[in-house]
């Protein structure tokens, strides 16, 4: 199966980055070449997959960059595809929709900058160029309206290392860190590494929309709660927190002497009609000085492999305390790629954001029309679809399957949840891998996280297979 997928991917790999004149996909050929026509069968009541595919509207990206052509990542040792093939078998993965990076070709300016640097065949120690810091400051000013003191910008080898340094600076081992949940699972790994405890404040959920329970949030602050990790936009729920939300969080934390650690790595992915508000842009400067913001170009330009990020604060004392725990070894190619993205990549980013916004619209419409067991509300931000699969859990008996699996010999490395069984179900019957909602802490039950930062053709193929799998369940 991996070979047929690779063939599907490679059909236009050697083409130009500019938009093809082809206005759509031959859906029948697409399904046939993927080796899936027999697998997917019918969708819904008496509707063939090919008819459903033919009815789907593929609007080509309006610009010079091609995001519709499926770009082959198989065989590059990437987590999103190759790791899933190793875990589930090459015959069982047609759509890797799990880990949060994008499937698109890199922005041309990034590739060009890397190629130019590669011509210099020496890889000695790198002095951090001032031009990179200036690019970070200029990008944040132009795109988000934030005035950052360049002397208070600190580089790190990723948002995680930066957060870990901050946790070590402010939260002694054994103390608590406040989280609004469900939330990014990587935070829990950071807390484990620092020997800290998660204090989870469950968000309110009404009609598919999440909101912070401020009373519960403050109630959970105790004498040993020194930090709150804020996710803005929120992964996986897609909230773009309003100025009022952020101010209220800031007021609580300032009053209770809790430092706000704002992870804003998803900030560029905001859906139409919504807005990202940087925590550092709040008018109350006392609130802002009680915070540190962590950012990177790694989500915006899919540069996770480059291991380069930054953090900043208006509070020089906070920055000094975190720097004392932050050990950074700047990656030369990471710096080159990030600098190029921030200085030349805005046009590419604007177009990929618009394309992904269209993917969200497509998923919302498709789920509503073809997947009655699944609920989905278009998020305010991120390129993640947070799917309510609670009815799927009941339909396939996922809770009972989890109980049986946990009693097996040998026992699984960690207890399996109902959502893990839903993941297995979609891998086995739809050849689609997504992340179980239970990974994202308190409140993640009954959900799956689907990464839709990929070709709309692949998004449709995944949804078509999932609809067929549910129809047959």
């Amino acid at each position: 199966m991996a070979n047929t997928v690779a063939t599907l991917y490679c059909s236009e790999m050697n083409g130009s980055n500019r938009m093809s004149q082809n206005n759509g996909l031959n859906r029948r050929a697409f399904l046939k070449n993927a080796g899936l026509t027999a697998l997917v069968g019918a969708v819904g009541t008496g509707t063939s997959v090919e008819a459903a595919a033919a009815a789907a509207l593929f609007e080509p990206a309006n610009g010079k960059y091609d995001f519709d052509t499926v770009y082959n990542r198989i065989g590059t040792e990437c987590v999103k595809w190759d790791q899933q093939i190793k875990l589930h078998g090459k015959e069982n993965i047609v759509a890797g929709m799990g880990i949060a990076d994008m499937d698109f070709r890199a922005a041309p300016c990034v590739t060009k900058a890397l190629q130019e640097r590669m011509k210099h065949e020496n890889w000695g120690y790198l002095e951090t160029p001032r031009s990179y810091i200036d690019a970070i400051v200029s990008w944040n000013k132009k795109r988000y309206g934030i005035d950052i003191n360049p002397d208070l910008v600190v580089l790190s080898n990723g948002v995680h290392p930066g957060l870990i340094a901050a946790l070590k600076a402010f939260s002694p081992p054994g103390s608590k860190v406040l989280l609004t949940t469900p939330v990014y699972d990587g935070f829990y790994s950071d807390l484990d590494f620092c020997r800290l405890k998660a204090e989870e404040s469950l968000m309110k959920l009404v009609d598919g929309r999440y909101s912070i329970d401020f009373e519960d949030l403050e109630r959970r602050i105790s004498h040993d709660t020194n930090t709150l990790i804020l996710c803005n936009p929120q992964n996986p729920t897609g909230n773009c927190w309003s100025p009022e939300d952020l101010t209220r969080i800031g007021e609580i934390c300032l009053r209770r002497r809790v430092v706000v650690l704002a992870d804003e790595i998803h900030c560029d992915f905001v859906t139409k009609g919504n807005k990202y508000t940087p925590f550092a842009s709040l008018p109350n400067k006392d609130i802002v000085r009680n915070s540190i913001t962590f950012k990177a170009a790694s989500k915006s330009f899919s540069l996770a492999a480059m291991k380069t990020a930054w953090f900043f604060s208006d509070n020089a004392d906070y920055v000094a305390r975190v720097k004392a725990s932050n050990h950074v070894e700047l990656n030369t190619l990471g710096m080159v790629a990030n600098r190029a993205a921030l200085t030349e990549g805005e046009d590419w980013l604007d177009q990929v954001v618009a394309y992904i916004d269209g993917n969200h619209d497509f998923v919302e419409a498709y789920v509503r029309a073809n997947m009655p067991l699944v609920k989905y509300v278009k998020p305010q931000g991120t390129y993640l679809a947070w799917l309510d699969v609670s009815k799927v859990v009941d339909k396939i008996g996922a809770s009972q399957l989890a109980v049986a699996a946990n009693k097996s010999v040998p026992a699984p490395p960690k207890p399996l949840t109902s959502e893990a069984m839903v993941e297995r179900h979609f891998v086995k019957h739809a050849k689609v891998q997504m992340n179980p909602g239970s990974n994202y802490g308190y409140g993640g039950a009954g959900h799956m996280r689907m990464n839709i930062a990929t070709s709309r053709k692949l998004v449709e193929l995944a949804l078509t297979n999932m609809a067929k799998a549910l129809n047959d369940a």
Side-chain angles (χ1 to χ4, degrees):
M1 179 60 68
N3 289 337
T4 60
V5 174
T7 301
L8 178 158
Y9 280 143
C10 294
S11 60
E12 296 183 54
M13 277 179 62
N14 296 320
S16 165
N17 277 340
R18 297 195 173 272
M19 282 298 300
S20 167
Q21 296 302 308
N22 184 356
N23 286 327
L25 168 72
N26 181 326
R27 284 94 175 163
R28 183 181 295 272
F30 178 79
L31 293 168
K32 182 177 180 181
N33 290 339
L36 296 170
T37 306
L39 168 69
V40 288
V43 178
T45 306
T47 304
S48 72
V49 164
E50 294 174 358
L57 296 178
F58 282 132
E59 296 183 3
N62 294 318
K64 60 185 178 182
Y65 305 109
D66 177 8
F67 304 116
D68 273 334
T69 298
V70 185
Y71 190 60
N72 184 18
R73 299 179 65 192
I74 294 174
T76 63
E77 299 180 339
C78 68
V79 173
K80 190 167 183 282
W81 289 91
D82 293 317
Q83 187 180 83
Q84 303 313 314
I85 289 171
K86 290 176 185 176
L87 287 172
H88 302 292
K90 63 182 181 180
E91 73 283 357
N92 283 329
I93 297 296
V94 162
M97 316 290 276
I99 196 166
D101 62 19
M102 296 191 284
D103 284 335
F104 310 119
R105 289 175 181 265
C109 65
V110 170
T111 301
K112 181 181 177 181
L114 291 171
Q115 290 171 338
E116 287 299 313
R117 179 59 182 85
M118 292 284 286
K119 292 177 182 177
H120 181 73
E121 299 178 55
N122 184 282
W123 302 100
Y125 292 108
L126 172 73
E127 178 184 22
T128 303
R130 181 68 184 199
S131 60
Y132 181 37
I133 301 296
D134 290 343
I136 292 170
V137 172
S138 297
W139 176 264
N140 280 275
K141 175 62 175 177
K142 178 182 179 183
R143 198 159 182 93
Y144 322 118
I146 312 173
D147 289 308
I148 301 175
N149 182 345
D151 295 331
L152 297 179
V153 175
V154 183
L155 302 181
S156 64
N157 291 123
V159 166
H160 283 294
L163 277 172
I164 287 170
L167 291 170
K168 288 183 175 181
F170 297 107
S171 294
S175 62
K176 297 176 182 177
V177 178
L178 198 55
L179 304 171
T180 56
T181 62
V183 74
Y184 172 48
D185 56 336
F187 294 154
Y188 294 93
S189 299
D190 295 343
L191 300 190
D192 288 344
F193 183 81
C194 297
R195 291 180 291 157
L196 299 169
K197 303 173 185 176
E199 184 65 39
E200 298 173 302
S201 178
L202 179 65
M203 293 192 290
K204 298 176 181 178
L205 175 60
V206 179
D207 296 329
R209 293 289 183 197
Y210 287 83
S211 62
I212 296 169
D213 185 338
F214 290 102
E215 289 75 20
D216 182 76
L217 186 73
E218 182 159 16
R219 187 164 54 246
R220 290 184 178 278
I221 297 174
S222 59
H223 69 280
D224 60 347
T225 307
N226 297 337
T227 50
L228 173 146
I229 300 180
L230 170 70
C231 199
N232 179 37
Q234 182 93 359
N235 171 8
T237 62
N239 293 82
C240 288
W241 301 117
S242 69
E244 294 75 21
D245 290 327
L246 297 176
T247 297
R248 193 164 178 187
I249 291 172
E251 289 172 344
I252 291 171
C253 289
L254 185 63
R255 183 171 63 251
R256 302 296 298 274
R257 302 177 66 85
V258 173
V259 179
V260 176
L261 308 179
D263 175 357
E264 300 187 351
I265 196 171
H266 286 272
C267 63
D268 281 305
F269 295 97
V270 178
T271 56
K272 192 177 299 182
N274 294 294
K275 184 180 179 181
Y276 151 69
T277 300
F279 195 88
S281 71
L282 296 177
N284 186 326
K285 295 310 172 188
D286 289 334
I287 286 175
V288 172
R289 280 191 289 271
N290 188 45
S291 71
I292 303 173
T293 296
F294 301 82
K295 285 191 170 186
S298 55
K299 281 289 179 283
S300 304
F301 293 92
S302 208
L303 299 175
M306 297 299 182
K307 300 300 179 186
T308 305
W310 63 86
F311 58 87
F312 63 88
S313 175
D314 285 351
N315 190 323
D317 177 62
Y318 279 11
V319 170
R321 291 173 67 177
V322 179
K323 282 181 72 174
S325 299
N326 179 59
H327 180 75
V328 60
E329 295 286 349
L330 188 62
N331 178 323
T332 299
L333 292 180
M335 183 280 298
V336 169
N338 276 259
R339 183 174 58 187
L342 297 177
T343 56
E344 304 175 54
E346 189 168 30
D347 178 52
W348 181 91
L349 177 60
D350 287 341
Q351 291 187 42
V352 80
V353 169
Y355 185 84
I356 290 171
D357 185 75
N359 280 358
H360 277 296
D361 289 337
F362 180 86
V363 173
E364 187 174 45
Y366 191 100
V367 168
R368 186 186 302 117
N370 300 288
M371 302 172 71
L373 294 178
V374 177
K375 294 180 181 179
Y376 173 65
V377 176
K378 182 180 178 180
Q380 296 169 324
T382 78
Y383 51 65
L384 306 167
W386 186 236
L387 304 177
D388 183 339
V389 296
S390 52
K391 291 184 179 180
V392 178
V393 169
D394 294 337
K395 175 78 172 180
I396 68 171
S399 299
Q400 294 82 359
L401 291 172
V403 170
N406 288 322
K407 291 180 179 178
S408 63
V409 179
K414 63 179 183 178
L416 294 169
T417 63
S418 299
E419 295 72 35
M421 305 315 293
V422 173
E423 177 191 20
R424 289 185 175 188
H425 182 84
F426 280 125
V427 167
K428 180 178 180 180
H429 298 285
K431 304 189 183 299
V432 176
Q433 188 275 325
M434 299 177 290
N435 289 355
S438 49
N439 290 1
Y440 301 95
Y442 188 32
H447 290 79
M448 301 294 289
R449 194 190 78 168
M450 183 180 193
N451 175 359
I452 60 171
T454 190
S455 164
R456 201 162 301 154
K457 300 171 184 178
L458 192 56
V459 172
E460 185 188 30
L461 180 60
L463 292 173
T464 299
N465 284 10
M466 290 166 62
K468 170 61 168 59
L470 294 177
N471 190 57
D472 290 346

